Amino acid sequence: MTIFKIISSIFLVIYAILFINITYSIIQTQEGFAYPIWIQILLALSFLAVALLNFTQKRYILGSVLTSAVFMLGISIVITSIA
């Protein structure tokens, strides 16, 4: 394994832990992000467009990270609209 792959793996694990923690916190507290829903929708659509672009350019790791951000924003939108 090269040093680049080791560092990338460490950062991906840290990101996964943070992603799970933030998602769990959103669901647990029933509070989304403190932005209006229209801004959250625009952010989600922007992240989705960039994620699709990264997948077409075969940058799967960055595309996956951006897809998880879309997923997190989707949960926030649902929680915000329910509350």
Side-chain angles (χ1 to χ4, degrees):
M1 247 182 157
T2 64
I3 190 73
F4 178 74
K5 287 188 179 186
I6 293 171
I7 292 172
S8 296
S9 299
I10 290 170
F11 281 117
L12 282 175
V13 168
I14 291 170
Y15 179 79
I17 291 169
L18 289 174
F19 173 76
I20 292 168
N21 186 18
I22 292 170
T23 305
Y24 178 75
S25 175
I26 289 173
I27 294 170
Q28 181 86 12
T29 62
Q30 295 293 313
E31 293 181 8
F33 294 120
Y35 295 109
I37 291 179
W38 66 273
I39 291 178
Q40 293 182 46
I41 292 171
L42 284 177
L43 279 171
L45 290 174
S46 300
F47 282 141
L48 182 62
V50 176
L52 291 174
L53 179 68
N54 279 303
F55 280 125
T56 58
Q57 294 178 351
K58 297 185 182 188
R59 296 186 208 156
Y60 299 115
I61 293 176
L62 186 57
S64 300
V65 169
L66 291 168
T67 303
S68 66
V70 172
F71 180 71
M72 191 182 324
L73 280 165
I75 291 173
S76 176
I77 290 168
V78 169
I79 295 295
T80 304
S81 63
I82 290 174

